[in-house]
Amino acid sequence: MLKAEVLVDRDFAIGDTDRRLFGAFVEHLGRCVYGGLFEPGHPQADERGFRRDVMALVKELAPTIMRYPGGNFVSGYDWEDGVGPVENRPKRLDLAWFTTEPNTFGTNEFMDWCRETGIEPMLAVNLGTRGADAARHYLEYCNHPGGTALSDLRRSHGWEQPHGVKFWCLGNEMDGPWQMETKTATEYGRIATETAKMMKWVDPSIELAVCGSSARNMPTFGEWEYTVLDHTFDHVEFISLHTYFNNYAGDTAAFLASPDLMDSFIDEVVAIADAVAARRRSNKRIMLNFDEWNVWYRTRGRGEGRAKPGWPEAPQILEEVYTMEDALTFGGACISLLNHADRVKSACLAQLVNAIAPIMTETGGPAWRQTIFHPFAQMSNLGRGRVLRSQVSSPTYSARYYDPRGSQELYYPMPSVPYVKLATVHNEEDKSLTLFVLNRHLEEQVTLDLDARGFSDLALDHALELRHDDLQTANTKAAPEAVSPVPLDGVQVRGERIQATLKPASWNVIRLKAPV
């Protein structure tokens, strides 16, 4: 049996997890909104059209902040279309997903939904087809208390109190050729600077995230981040990152290794942001907003494609069905985010319902948890606290991860991938120590031997594992619990030492009481 030895010390920490690290994303895309979280007439819908069954699953998932309304959608969105009497709202062609947008769900409905679920809103402004003036008007409509045309317009629409939105994104993926009104780094840097300046004149209390390049494999990556931050450094607090994991190559071992590239991506963006600060001799540190991340490849330009003919409303597109294999890679990404808690202060799982999502619904029917639901819910509910530095000594393997860019064949060599990937979170308030552990070996069990120095009186609270003999098993309407957490047996705790046997290809969570 293979063995992994881990050393953690309560006095050596990476950083505290920000509550915004556990966010998600709602876009006007496919059935994410319509037929997902919002479905008037559904047996489970409340008087506003919000599906209660979906809200119950969202509360169990426990996201803390929600990005809206896009995504690619936002680069052509006129926010005014989604406010006011529903019967007066226009239908529009959406060029992001080639659909018809009815605008029956908009900003105020989203704010009500966030209040109902206890989630902080994160709004994005359109810097594609629009610019700084529309952005500052949107902010005034949302946040100004009253006495101006736009704030009084909100009040006339039935929302007397300001929404008080504190986190705003300046556009989306503006270097992507698929984006409406793609921009160069300099073009975007200039408009983002002016937008940020004007928005903070309206409300100085807000925090702003500027767009990074659309992905690490973009030809713009690196130079884009530096140029954009060189323009916006004095006006923003965050830069965004996006990544989607794939198994196009059908190589499970490489797929499970891919979250380690997320670690490298984060480190690279941190280095670029700090280089911009160093050039200014500034102590300011730009934080990272990883506001799109997930497994996504089956419906990404392959298979059923990303669009359906005839400009339909809320079509079934991008409805990725997640497997046990996907949940393992997804769990690895959760660990990567936790282990960068010092600089990744906000993150959004893309997306929330139906479209590349942890929650699936049948329009008019039930809702259920996808396999990826479980690692996220465990990270969000149990990952609050201080992330400790983990020294992991594990057997390794080599992999070659395929991550294409357009027609280009791109492979990332990964010569030394540890079979065990781990994050440790200490919560002093509830006196707990939680281990999130991924065993990437496809055939062998691994014995975990962890020395938790400084924790003299540990006791097991509970331990769970997520695994299935068939890695292609998915949760479906017919079998919604096919992949679900079960007790992890045999965990031993003696003083500061924890031992556990990790089954092949398994995601494991071990929760310990840490009274001292």
Side-chain angles (χ1 to χ4, degrees), residues 5 42 45 113 125 171 352-353 379 402 407:
E5 295 181 334
H42 188 278
W113 185 87
V125 299
L352 184 67
V353 189
M379 175 183 72
Y402 175 57
S407 60

Side-chain angles (χ1 to χ4, degrees), residues 212-231:
S213 53
S214 302
R216 190 182 183 224
N217 64 5
M218 289 289 288
T220 47
F221 173 62
E223 183 179 352
W224 172 279
E225 276 76 5
Y226 190 92
T227 301
V228 167
L229 283 176
D230 203 28
H231 282 285

Side-chain angles (χ1 to χ4, degrees), residues 55-67:
M55 285 196 292
L57 288 176
V58 169
K59 290 177 181 179
E60 182 184 334
L61 188 71
T64 50
I65 191 167
M66 196 66 60
R67 183 173 174 236

Side-chain angles (χ1 to χ4, degrees), residues 94 127 140 211 233 269 283 309 335 412 461 481:
D94 168 34
L127 294 188
E140 182 182 331
C211 287
F233 184 86
V269 175
N283 291 325
I335 290 171
Y412 292 87
D461 184 57
E481 303 296 331

Side-chain angles (χ1 to χ4, degrees), residues 308-319:
K308 292 190 175 181
W311 301 93
E313 289 187 18
Q316 288 184 268
I317 57 173
L318 276 61
E319 296 198 5

Side-chain angles (χ1 to χ4, degrees), residues 197-374:
K197 183 175 70 178
M198 292 166 66
M199 289 180 74
K200 287 197 171 178
W201 284 346
V202 173
D203 184 349
S205 71
I206 62 173
E207 293 179 283
L208 298 173
V210 73
C211 287
S213 53
S214 302
R216 190 182 183 224
N217 64 5
M218 289 289 288
T220 47
F221 173 62
E223 183 179 352
W224 172 279
E225 276 76 5
Y226 190 92
T227 301
V228 167
L229 283 176
D230 203 28
H231 282 285
T232 61
F233 184 86
D234 294 327
H235 301 279
V236 303
E237 288 73 36
F238 292 85
I239 186 167
S240 70
L241 296 81
H242 293 176
T243 201
Y244 293 98
F245 304 99
N246 79 80
N247 194 14
Y248 289 130
D251 184 341
T252 299
F255 184 39
L256 300 190
S258 61
D260 291 10
L261 296 173
M262 189 185 203
D263 296 304
S264 300
F265 185 19
I266 292 168
D267 292 341
E268 289 159 359
V269 175
V270 167
I272 295 167
D274 289 352
V276 176
R279 183 169 178 264
R280 287 168 163 71
R281 298 168 181 82
S282 173
N283 291 325
K284 178 179 178 179
R285 290 295 176 262
I286 298 292
M287 296 300 164
L288 275 54
N289 175 36
F290 219 124
D291 58 13
E292 288 190 32
W293 68 275
N294 203 344
V295 172
W296 178 29
Y297 65 101
R298 299 174 186 87
T299 61
R300 192 178 189 185
R302 301 186 178 214
E304 70 179 45
R306 293 168 58 148
K308 292 190 175 181
W311 301 93
E313 289 187 18
Q316 288 184 268
I317 57 173
L318 276 61
E319 296 198 5
E320 198 97 347
V321 175
Y322 289 108
T323 65
M324 180 65 231
E325 180 183 77
D326 297 327
L328 295 173
T329 297
F330 184 96
C334 292
I335 290 171
S336 292
L337 290 173
L338 289 170
N339 282 335
H340 288 88
D342 56 333
R343 295 300 290 268
V344 181
K345 293 298 182 181
S346 176
C348 298
L349 161 62
Q351 293 190 12
L352 184 67
V353 189
N354 289 327
I356 53 172
I359 299 169
M360 286 295 290
T361 73
E362 179 180 77
T363 300
W368 62 93
R369 305 167 190 83
Q370 292 235 60
T371 62
I372 64 171
F373 181 101
H374 300 293

Side-chain angles (χ1 to χ4, degrees), residues 38-275:
F38 178 73
E39 191 180 341
H42 188 278
Q44 290 286 327
D46 67 12
E47 68 281 359
R48 294 161 297 185
F50 303 156
R51 284 186 57 160
R52 293 188 183 92
D53 55 346
V54 172
M55 285 196 292
L57 288 176
V58 169
K59 290 177 181 179
E60 182 184 334
L61 188 71
T64 50
I65 191 167
M66 196 66 60
R67 183 173 174 236
Y68 175 85
N72 295 346
F73 176 81
V74 78
S75 290
Y77 183 55
D78 296 338
W79 65 267
E80 301 92 336
D81 290 347
V83 299
V86 172
E87 61 272 16
N88 295 336
R89 297 182 192 178
K91 290 189 175 185
R92 304 282 191 194
L93 295 183
D94 168 34
L95 302 185
W97 304 108
F98 300 98
T99 60
T100 298
E101 171 53 52
N103 283 306
T104 51
F105 184 98
T107 299
N108 294 319
E109 289 81 13
F110 174 69
M111 293 300 170
D112 282 351
W113 185 87
C114 285
R115 290 189 184 96
E116 183 69 27
T117 53
I119 297 171
E120 179 185 356
M122 174 195 294
L123 291 184
V125 299
N126 178 357
L127 294 188
T129 61
R130 304 188 79 180
D133 205 42
R136 60 111 170 181
H137 286 157
Y138 191 20
L139 173 61
E140 182 182 331
Y141 177 89
C142 289
N143 282 16
H144 199 67
T148 67
L150 289 169
S151 59
D152 286 346
L153 180 65
R154 181 199 69 244
R155 295 169 68 193
S156 75
H157 291 159
W159 282 266
E160 178 71 23
Q161 297 302 315
H163 294 315
V165 181
K166 295 305 180 186
F167 200 118
W168 294 76
C169 300
L170 301 176
N172 174 75
E173 294 185 354
M174 296 310 303
D175 63 336
W178 56 85
Q179 208 68 216
M180 285 171 267
E181 297 204 19
T182 303
K183 292 174 172 57
T184 67
T186 297
E187 288 169 341
Y188 172 69
R190 289 293 302 127
I191 192 174
T193 297
E194 293 306 304
T195 304
K197 183 175 70 178
M198 292 166 66
M199 289 180 74
K200 287 197 171 178
W201 284 346
V202 173
D203 184 349
S205 71
I206 62 173
E207 293 179 283
L208 298 173
V210 73
C211 287
S213 53
S214 302
R216 190 182 183 224
N217 64 5
M218 289 289 288
T220 47
F221 173 62
E223 183 179 352
W224 172 279
E225 276 76 5
Y226 190 92
T227 301
V228 167
L229 283 176
D230 203 28
H231 282 285
T232 61
F233 184 86
D234 294 327
H235 301 279
V236 303
E237 288 73 36
F238 292 85
I239 186 167
S240 70
L241 296 81
H242 293 176
T243 201
Y244 293 98
F245 304 99
N246 79 80
N247 194 14
Y248 289 130
D251 184 341
T252 299
F255 184 39
L256 300 190
S258 61
D260 291 10
L261 296 173
M262 189 185 203
D263 296 304
S264 300
F265 185 19
I266 292 168
D267 292 341
E268 289 159 359
V269 175
V270 167
I272 295 167
D274 289 352

